[in-house]
Amino acid sequence: METVQRQFPNLPPRLVGLEEIASNLWWSWHPAARMLFKMLNRQAWKECGHNPVKLLKELPKETLAAAANDSDYLRHYDVVLSRFRKGIEQEEGLLPSRGADLNGEAIAYFSAEYGLHHSLPFFAGGLGFLAGDHLKECSDLGVPLVAVGFMYPEGYVRQRIREDGWQDSLDETLDRDAASISRVLKADGEQVVVKVPWVEPPIHVAVWQTAVGKVSLYLMDTDIELNDPWNRGISARLYIGDLEQRLRQEIVLGIGGTEVLDTLGIKHSALHLNEGHAAFALLERLRERIQRGMGYEEALHQVRSTSIFTTHTPVPAGHDVFPFYLMEKYFHSYWPSLGIDRDTFFRLGLHPKEPNAGFNMTAFALRVCGFRNGVSKKHGEVARQMWQCLWPDLPEKEVPIDHVTNGVHVPTWIEPKMELLFNKYLGPDWLDDHDNPFVWELIEEIPDEELWKIHYWMKIKLIDAIRDRSRMRWAQDRVSPSFALAGGALLDPSVLTLGFARRFATYKRADLILYDMQRLKKFLNDRWRPIQIIFAGKAHPADDPGKRILQRIFNAARDPEMGGRLAFAEDYDEQVAQYMVHGVDVWLNNPLPPMEASGTSGMKAALNGAPQLSIMDGWWLEGFSGKNGWVFGEGDVSGNRDQADAEAIYQILENEIIPLYYRVSENGIPHDWVRVMKDTIKSNAPRFSARRMVKEYIEKFYTPALKGA
Ligand SMILES: *Cc1c(COP(=O)(O)O)cnc(C)c1O
């Protein structure tokens, strides 16, 4: 089976390789490849949303012909193309011995979302970016992994703030033919369409593929003519609220996804479930073995020893529970195929403390996967406590849920200028060995002036980008002046800048720093040593409490008493996230413990030199060294937790962060601050890299799971 080669009629023969590069997201984490597109036409590249497929479609023949005759461009092109081919064709990754350990067999990775690039909006938040970073790292390391997910053609919600500060949503439809995805085709040239087994009336999915370096991600799309409208809507958007449709979505993801791999002839010996949404894939693994004549218990044993489940959150809404009547409706003909009765089937998904609530996808995945993990050391503990009820005979410490702390894909999240700086001082091959802490000791070689200059340049870039958005709203939509100011028009790069960018789930307490407005105003309006805070983030469209928090922040940002030093950047997405994690001075993180299982945005900021001002939760419990940022909220807090935590933030700002930042040498360099930046990069970058994370998955789970196959 093949994927369709897209036709770009304007592309001259000398540059056909651009098509190859544009069709593989490899370009997204290789700055030289991105530059190849940007060089064609800077403005068009921006206007296409940095989507090379769209760019190549839309650029006029003359522009491309000119590039084909430009020796400078061609030199660049030839280098990138040969690197690309070498990188993709290379059988072994950077990890040949471990790669060999995996026996060349594939691991199937299932996730409901993938954050890969802003031109492919198949994500809601952190879970998706974690999955995207996982795939990219598996490609870099040569891990034989194949991924399955949804396309969500209507699912992308853009954020529009109204004049009154309330978040409105604008749905955006994906233009499938102008995205970095391709149809998977049969021999006769028609797109592969798969019927989801066991569901009547039938649901069909069309299969798409996107190449993430060496890893293939198969995307399912139910929006095809073969399906009735209800079925067409299954993959329309992420995490549908309606329970039955949500159940159907998860049936398609788990059962349909397995069928897609089977249809394409992709063998996989192990399964990795990124969160419980795809857990029905486990049923298909059971059924396949039982059909081959295996007994139920033996099949269960085999599936256990080859399946990995990663749980991502202690927040209750993050765990799907489907009422039994719905399960009955969709699975009454399924359990006989496993040779078990209704009760045995339902017991697989029973939560012992809430036996009547329904079929719990997390409980199910924990029971049927033999390898289980939380996403930080602390979250491992929290998960063991949460799920001890599934192992009532074991003490909490021995509950078989391990942890692998999350990490971020370094080539994706590092600012290209920082990468160049590291090339200069850590050695040109530092990226090949970036989970090695010794490599990072060379950060000490960077002169303070040089690191500070690049940081300052990144901060200007962030502020320019935010002002530009705000200017567009002002010019195009005729928003009020105060609206434009709240969007960040008065931001000043010389001011100490805190960043808070993440989803506006209430447990993240975005407005905590607004707890005592009088205190905050003093910080913002200090004549000599002011601070400014940039907020960005979306509330879930159904989350009114989250929207109220957002509104409160936005309206505060409009208040002249805040001096224009609070800003809310609209429409948080991967691109805004990039600017934020590159450019702020301090990354603020104050969720309600222990709700933040890990958090990853702070790791991205740390990689680029921004220290954390963070509560003791998630990854920061492992990340804090005493010298690389600031911490509060340790131990139990009695009484008003918000007040105590806000007070801690104010005190750290007043006594530590502000004086440190504004203590500059005669030539304007805050040497003590740069000291903290260096400690931040050194201690956090190697440990919280996706490289370290994927290697741990290989060691702890992938290798033994493939052995168990
Ligand atoms: C990294 C990232 C996230 C995850 O952030 P958390 O720290 O887990 O809140 C969410 N959205 C985007 C766009 C990101 O890049």
Side-chain angles (χ1 to χ4, degrees), residues 144-370:
L145 186 121
V146 54
V148 179
F150 277 125
M151 176 140 81
Y152 306 120
E154 292 165 30
Y156 199 62
V157 182
R158 300 220 87 104
Q159 179 187 57
R160 296 285 274 188
I161 307 296
R162 292 195 319 220
E163 277 287 345
D164 64 357
W166 191 252
Q167 168 185 300
D168 265 348
S169 307
L170 282 182
D171 288 351
E172 200 172 77
T173 310
L174 177 75
D175 178 357
R176 296 171 177 80
D177 291 305
S180 275
I181 51 176
S182 1
R183 293 170 203 274
V184 179
L185 302 183
K186 293 183 291 193
D188 64 3
E190 292 290 310
Q191 186 170 14
V192 175
V193 173
V194 169
K195 176 177 169 297
V196 180
W198 299 96
V199 188
E200 286 302 331
I203 302 170
H204 295 90
V205 298
V207 184
W208 294 73
Q209 190 240 28
T210 184
V212 185
K214 283 178 275 192
V215 170
S216 286
L217 165 60
Y218 293 97
L219 300 161
M220 292 182 283
D221 182 7
T222 60
D223 184 22
I224 50 174
E225 285 192 3
L226 222 52
N227 286 329
D228 65 31
W230 196 33
N231 285 350
R232 287 180 83 143
I234 289 176
S235 72
R237 56 194 60 244
L238 279 123
Y239 309 131
I240 292 169
D242 174 71
L243 260 184
E244 183 164 1
Q245 191 73 324
R246 176 81 159 254
L247 173 61
R248 285 150 45 85
Q249 196 172 42
E250 298 193 5
I251 290 172
V252 173
L253 183 60
I255 296 180
T258 307
E259 185 70 9
V260 166
L261 294 180
D262 287 350
T263 306
L264 300 180
I266 296 169
K267 297 218 183 321
H268 53 282
S269 317
L271 171 72
H272 184 178
L273 298 173
N274 187 45
E275 198 49 288
H277 311 109
F280 292 137
L282 294 165
L283 292 176
E284 284 292 90
R285 282 170 84 70
L286 279 171
R287 189 176 64 82
E288 187 259 327
R289 284 166 175 78
I290 288 163
Q291 260 180 359
R292 275 195 275 132
M294 212 177 270
Y296 174 72
E297 286 303 327
E298 194 193 346
L300 195 58
H301 176 77
Q302 260 213 11
V303 171
R304 262 201 198 115
S305 59
T306 55
S307 302
I308 300 132
F309 171 56
T310 304
T311 175
H312 284 268
T313 180
V315 179
H319 303 265
D320 288 315
V321 181
F322 296 111
F324 292 121
Y325 76 91
L326 278 179
M327 289 298 290
E328 173 114 36
K329 178 170 171 188
Y330 285 92
F331 288 95
H332 67 271
S333 62
Y334 200 102
W335 61 72
S337 78
L338 302 176
I340 57 175
D341 59 16
R342 179 181 186 273
D343 252 28
T344 312
F345 183 76
F346 282 174
R347 266 202 306 269
L348 287 171
L350 204 74
H351 190 315
K353 289 187 188 152
E354 297 156 15
N356 299 322
F359 192 93
N360 185 304
M361 295 295 276
T362 307
F364 170 54
L366 287 169
R367 281 198 182 94
V368 184
C369 292

Side-chain angles (χ1 to χ4, degrees), residues 5-6 35 143 256 387 567 607 645 668:
Q5 286 304 306
R6 209 171 286 107
M35 192 52 82
V143 179
W387 296 103
L607 170 67
D645 288 340

Side-chain angles (χ1 to χ4, degrees), residues 111-133 136 149-158 172 174 217 219 236-239 274 413 503 538 540-541 571-577 604:
S111 177
E113 47 171 308
Y114 291 93
L116 291 157
H117 184 256
H118 51 266
S119 67
L120 290 178
F122 309 146
F123 58 85
L127 182 71
F129 281 95
L130 185 83
D133 281 10
K136 291 172 185 173
F150 277 125
M151 176 140 81
Y152 306 120
E154 292 165 30
Y156 199 62
V157 182
R158 300 220 87 104
E172 200 172 77
L174 177 75
L217 165 60
L219 300 161
R237 56 194 60 244
L238 279 123
Y239 309 131
N274 187 45
W413 294 105
R503 280 180 312 113
K538 291 174 184 167
H540 186 280
D571 202 26
Y572 181 51
D573 66 359
E574 190 249 1
Q575 215 185 347
V576 177
K604 301 167 191 167

Side-chain angles (χ1 to χ4, degrees), residues 297-521:
E297 286 303 327
E298 194 193 346
L300 195 58
H301 176 77
Q302 260 213 11
V303 171
R304 262 201 198 115
S305 59
T306 55
S307 302
I308 300 132
F309 171 56
T310 304
T311 175
H312 284 268
T313 180
V315 179
H319 303 265
D320 288 315
V321 181
F322 296 111
F324 292 121
Y325 76 91
L326 278 179
M327 289 298 290
E328 173 114 36
K329 178 170 171 188
Y330 285 92
F331 288 95
H332 67 271
S333 62
Y334 200 102
W335 61 72
S337 78
L338 302 176
I340 57 175
D341 59 16
R342 179 181 186 273
D343 252 28
T344 312
F345 183 76
F346 282 174
R347 266 202 306 269
L348 287 171
L350 204 74
H351 190 315
K353 289 187 188 152
E354 297 156 15
N356 299 322
F359 192 93
N360 185 304
M361 295 295 276
T362 307
F364 170 54
L366 287 169
R367 281 198 182 94
V368 184
C369 292
F371 302 95
R372 320 164 184 89
N373 73 293
V375 290
S376 70
K377 188 160 176 276
K378 168 77 178 180
H379 180 234
E381 284 164 27
V382 171
R384 286 192 285 279
Q385 186 186 6
M386 238 177 121
W387 296 103
Q388 199 229 349
C389 54
L390 293 182
W391 290 271
D393 302 335
L394 294 179
E396 200 179 293
K397 274 209 295 274
E398 286 168 33
V399 168
I401 302 177
D402 203 338
H403 78 272
V404 174
T405 304
N406 284 343
V408 298
H409 186 243
V410 168
T412 296
W413 294 105
I414 193 165
E415 212 287 331
K417 269 213 170 44
M418 281 294 261
E419 187 174 337
L420 291 178
L421 181 74
F422 293 171
N423 285 347
K424 186 166 159 197
Y425 290 97
L426 309 190
D429 53 359
W430 69 273
L431 205 46
D432 293 342
D433 196 22
H434 69 256
D435 59 333
N436 176 356
F438 291 111
V439 169
W440 295 88
E441 285 301 319
L442 292 169
I443 289 284
E444 295 301 331
E445 308 274 314
I446 305 176
D448 287 359
E449 293 73 19
E450 228 171 308
L451 185 56
W452 182 250
K453 220 171 103 186
I454 287 184
H455 171 67
Y456 202 78
W457 177 84
M458 295 193 294
K459 184 150 77 157
I460 290 173
K461 229 177 93 175
L462 159 69
I463 290 175
D464 277 355
I466 291 178
R467 284 193 195 139
D468 195 48
R469 283 185 173 223
S470 170
R471 179 179 11 255
M472 298 290 260
R473 286 283 265 146
W474 165 249
Q476 287 174 358
D477 303 328
R478 313 208 155 216
V479 294
S480 66
S482 70
F483 190 100
L485 297 185
L490 289 179
L491 289 172
D492 173 352
S494 70
V495 170
L496 167 60
T497 305
L498 273 56
F500 184 102
R502 40 179 56 92
R503 280 180 312 113
F504 271 52
T506 45
Y507 79 87
K508 299 206 186 222
R509 299 192 295 181
D511 60 345
L512 187 69
I513 201 165
L514 275 56
Y515 189 87
D516 181 342
M517 290 303 264
Q518 296 313 317
R519 273 305 266 292
L520 179 64
K521 260 186 245 173

